[in-house]
Amino acid sequence: MKTIEKPFTRLFMDHGINRSNAPKRTEAKEKLAPVRYNARTLAALCLVVLILTLSLTQAKPVTAEPGAAAGTQQAGAEDEVTITLSRDEAELYERLRQVMTVIREIHPRDVSLETLYEGALKGAAEAVADPYTQYMGKEEFGDFASSIEGEYVGIGVTIELVNGKITVVNTFPGSPARQAGMKAGDVITRVAGQDMAAKSLTEASTLLRGQEGTAVSVTIYRPSTGETLEMDLIRRKITIPTLDFRDLGDGLKYIAIAQFTSETGRNFPALIKTAKMFGMKGLILDLRDNPGGTLEDCLEVLKCLVPKGPMVSLVYKEGREEYSNEEDPEKVIPVVVLTNGGTASAAEIVAAAVRDRGVGILVGERTYGKGTVQAVLEFKNGSGIKLTIGEYLPPGGQSLDRKGLIPDVYVPPQETVLPKKPEATRTLRRGMVGLDVLAVQEALAFIGYNVGKPDGIFGPRTETAVKTFQRGISRPATGIADPGLIDMLFDATEAFAREHHQDNVLEKAIEILRRKVDTGEWGIEVAKPAA
C-alpha cells in the first residue's frame, strides 16, 4: 500500500474501522482466543478496527505424521509436539524440511532455522502475487506499526511497490520531498547510495526514515519525462494533515482532505454543518494526493454529501457487503471533487460515490486506481501479515483497481519551472562571467529583482540586485554572492514559487461550481446518477 515512507499503510484503504485511530497514538490491541479465520470472518473483523491485531498462540516445534485430520496434537518428548497432517500436507512439509536441512548442512554460511522459516513465510505471502499482501518479521512489523501513527520523521512521501519498483504515490504538503519537487509516479531507484531494485517497501521505508535533521540522498526516475534526478533531502518530523478549510466567497467553500483518519470522520460533519449554517451553496472537495485511510471515516464524509442510498460495496471471497446512507443529509449541495494520480483507495471511494450518486463531478487528472481492501494480522511473537481480503465497488458497480477514475473535466496542473542551481559555486562579484553568474541572475529575476536580461555577465544591475536581496535578508549589502548567499537565494526561489503558485485546477473548479450554483447546470455532459 501506500506507505508514508511506509509500506502500504497509506495506499491500502487502511480498511478496518476504529474511531479511536487518531494521529499521534498507537492502535489498541485486542486479545482474542485462537480461532480459525475464513475470508468472511476476516472481512467482518477488519471492518471493526483500522489495524486488526490478533494475538495467536505461538507454535512449538512440530513433526509431521500423515494420516489423521490436520490439527490433531499428540504428546511427545518434552520439547516436541506431534501434529498430524493430511498426506498431501505432510509431503509438502517434508520437502520444506529437506530443503532446510540441505541448506544448513552444505551452505558455507551458518543459517539459522528461524531465518529459513522467516524466508519461507515471506515466500508464502509473495506466492499470492499480490503487491498488497506481505508477511513481515518482528522488526519489520514494528517499523510498519510505528509508521501508521500520525507523526513520524522522514521525507514525507507515501510509497508503493508497482511492478517491483518503489514508486511514489504522493508527497505531503510542506514536506522535504514535495519541496524538492518529488511527484506521484516517480520511481525511487537509490536511497543513501543503496540500489532499490531488490528492496521491499519496508526496507525502502527504513532507509527513507531516520533521525530528525539528518540528510539522505534520493535518486528518482521520472517515467513521464525520462529524467533521472538526484535529491539531497533533510529528514524532519512529518505531521500528517487532515482537513484544510477555506471560504471562497459567494457561498462557495473549499475543503481539502489529506487522508481519511478518525479526526476526519469526527471533524468533517461538524465543519459541513457549520458551513451550511453560514449559507454554503457549493463545495470544492480537494482529494488530490489523498492516499486513502479508514473506510468508516470516508463513509462519514460521504454521509454528509450524498442522498439516502448506496455508497460502496465490498466484495469478499465468500460474499458481498453493501454500505448505504440511511438518511438524506440536511441539504444536498453540488460538489466538485479535485483528483490527480495521488488520489487513491478510500479517496477514490468518495470521489466515485459523489459522481455516481449525481451530486458532483470530478476535475483534474485520472486517479491512482487501487480498488482492494486489506486487513493486518499481528501474531503473538510480534510478526504479522497484511492481507488483501476483498475489492470495493462504487455505486456505479465499476471496478477501479488498476484503472482509476477518469475526471469529467481533465485539467493538468500548471508546472512551475524553478531556476536551476549551479552544481559548483564560487564567490561571485562584479566583472565575473560564467554559467553560475547566469544561474544567479535567473534566480534574482524569478523573485522579482531587476537584473536586465540575464546574460551571464556580473554587471552593475546584477550587483545592485544582489545588494537589494542582501538587505532583504538582513545581510551586509556588499553586492558579492558567496556560496552561502547563493544557497539562500535559491531557497528564496522555492519559497516564492510556493507562495505565488497558480492553482489552475482549483481555478477551473471554482468556475464550474459557480456556474452550477448560478444556473443550476454544470455546463458539461455528466453521466446519469446510479440508483
Side-chain angles (χ1 to χ4, degrees):
M1 141 175 63
K2 191 166 287 223
T3 302
I4 292 184
E5 271 118 73
K6 3 190 240 194
F8 104 106
T9 54
R10 311 215 55 82
L11 187 56
F12 93 129
M13 195 191 304
D14 290 331
H15 175 275
I17 299 175
N18 182 349
R19 293 304 302 248
S20 66
N21 175 41
K24 302 183 182 178
R25 68 187 300 275
T26 56
E27 286 69 21
K29 296 183 180 180
E30 293 188 58
K31 300 296 183 182
L32 303 180
V35 61
R36 295 181 65 187
Y37 298 99
N38 59 28
R40 185 65 175 178
T41 304
L42 281 176
L45 287 172
C46 90
L47 295 176
V48 177
V49 290
L50 166 61
I51 297 300
L52 180 60
T53 60
L54 301 180
S55 185
L56 302 180
T57 303
Q58 188 172 11
K60 297 180 180 179
V62 299
T63 57
E65 293 182 1
T72 303
Q73 295 187 3
Q74 299 174 355
E78 186 176 341
D79 60 346
E80 292 184 351
V81 171
T82 299
I83 181 169
T84 305
L85 305 173
S86 68
R87 183 170 299 279
D88 288 344
E89 288 178 293
E91 289 176 356
L92 291 170
Y93 177 74
E94 181 59 27
R95 193 189 313 167
L96 174 63
R97 293 284 297 174
Q98 288 173 351
V99 169
M100 290 183 173
T101 299
V102 167
I103 291 173
R104 297 191 74 202
E105 289 182 352
I106 299 177
H107 197 279
R109 218 175 37 183
D110 288 338
V111 184
S112 68
L113 271 178
E114 183 178 2
T115 298
L116 293 175
Y117 271 108
E118 286 289 305
L121 292 167
K122 286 180 181 290
E126 291 170 2
V128 180
D130 170 18
Y132 305 114
T133 293
Q134 179 188 4
Y135 170 82
M136 292 169 278
K138 182 177 180 179
E139 184 176 347
E140 284 182 298
F141 193 81
D143 290 342
F144 166 76
S146 66
S147 73
I148 59 175
E149 298 176 18
E151 196 172 80
Y152 70 102
V153 174
I155 65 169
V157 297
T158 298
I159 56 176
E160 181 55 80
L161 199 62
V162 179
N163 296 325
K165 299 175 182 178
I166 304 296
T167 304
V168 176
V169 175
N170 80 315
T171 60
F172 293 111
S175 66
R178 181 169 294 189
Q179 290 177 353
M182 201 175 291
K183 300 178 181 180
D186 288 346
V187 176
I188 297 177
T189 57
R190 298 186 74 83
V191 177
Q194 295 194 36
D195 192 345
M196 293 292 102
K199 300 292 185 185
S200 68
L201 282 175
T202 301
E203 290 169 325
S205 170
T206 300
L207 288 169
L208 290 168
R209 296 196 307 266
Q211 292 186 346
E212 188 171 7
T214 58
V216 59
S217 61
V218 180
T219 303
I220 64 166
Y221 171 70
R222 183 162 292 163
S224 60
T225 63
E227 296 176 281
T228 296
L229 304 173
E230 304 281 345
M231 298 180 178
D232 292 319
L233 308 175
I234 303 298
R235 299 181 181 98
R236 66 168 182 257
K237 186 175 290 184
I238 305 296
T239 300
I240 304 165
T242 52
L243 296 175
D244 177 27
F245 175 83
R246 294 183 230 164
D247 187 343
L248 302 175
D250 300 325
L252 306 186
K253 312 297 180 184
Y254 167 95
I255 299 177
I257 303 178
Q259 74 177 90
F260 293 94
T261 67
S262 58
E263 181 182 349
T264 313
R266 285 193 305 268
N267 294 337
F268 188 87
L271 192 57
I272 288 292
K273 183 176 181 179
T274 301
K276 287 180 178 179
M277 288 174 57
F278 284 91
M280 178 169 63
K281 299 176 182 177
L283 173 66
I284 292 177
L285 184 63
D286 194 344
L287 299 182
R288 290 175 293 182
D289 294 319
N290 181 322
T294 67
L295 174 64
E296 181 188 44
D297 293 301
C298 88
L299 294 182
E300 289 298 316
V301 169
L302 276 176
K303 288 175 185 177
C304 301
L305 303 177
V306 302
K308 183 177 180 178
M311 295 188 292
V312 67
S313 301
L314 300 186
V315 182
Y316 306 109
K317 188 174 184 177
E318 297 179 3
R320 181 185 182 114
E321 195 151 9
E322 309 286 344
Y323 290 84
S324 298
N325 198 358
E326 299 300 328
E327 56 185 34
D328 287 314
E330 183 179 336
K331 178 185 178 183
V332 177
I333 56 171
V335 180
V336 175
V337 182
L338 308 187
T339 63
N340 66 3
T343 305
S345 200
E348 291 175 289
I349 289 178
V350 172
V354 165
R355 179 163 66 181
D356 288 354
R357 296 303 312 282
V359 172
I361 62 170
L362 312 187
V363 173
E365 300 175 285
R366 182 193 290 263
T367 63
Y368 185 84
K370 178 181 181 293
T372 56
V373 182
Q374 283 73 40
V376 176
L377 305 167
E378 181 182 0
F379 304 113
K380 187 175 181 180
N381 71 340
S383 63
I385 186 171
K386 56 183 180 181
L387 178 68
T388 297
I389 60 168
E391 180 181 12
Y392 69 80
L393 300 176
Q398 73 276 24
S399 172
L400 307 181
D401 201 41
R402 303 184 184 183
K403 300 175 184 176
L405 297 165
I406 298 174
D408 300 282
V409 180
Y410 172 69
V411 184
Q414 184 175 341
E415 297 288 343
T416 300
V417 181
L418 294 173
K420 187 175 181 180
K421 185 177 178 180
E423 293 183 5
T425 57
R426 52 182 174 155
T427 297
L428 305 177
R429 53 173 49 88
R430 187 170 178 172
M432 298 182 73
V433 178
L435 292 176
D436 49 358
V437 175
L438 178 63
V440 167
Q441 289 174 325
E442 289 174 341
L444 288 165
F446 184 83
I447 57 180
Y449 293 99
N450 180 17
V451 295
K453 182 180 179 180
D455 56 8
I457 302 172
F458 201 123
R461 281 188 179 179
T462 302
E463 183 181 56
T464 300
V466 170
K467 288 180 178 180
T468 306
F469 176 71
Q470 287 171 324
R471 293 189 192 100
I473 60 174
S474 301
R475 294 280 296 266
T478 63
I480 298 172
D482 59 27
L485 185 78
I486 293 173
D487 285 342
M488 293 181 188
L489 174 60
F490 280 87
D491 287 344
T493 63
E494 294 179 7
F496 183 88
R498 290 193 299 272
E499 185 177 345
H500 296 84
H501 174 66
Q502 294 292 318
D503 192 342
N504 61 314
V505 181
L506 176 58
E507 290 174 357
K508 185 64 175 178
I510 293 173
E511 173 193 325
I512 294 171
L513 185 58
R514 182 167 283 121
R515 181 166 60 235
K516 172 66 174 176
V517 169
D518 291 343
T519 68
E521 302 291 334
W522 288 111
I524 62 172
E525 185 177 346
V526 179
K528 184 179 179 181

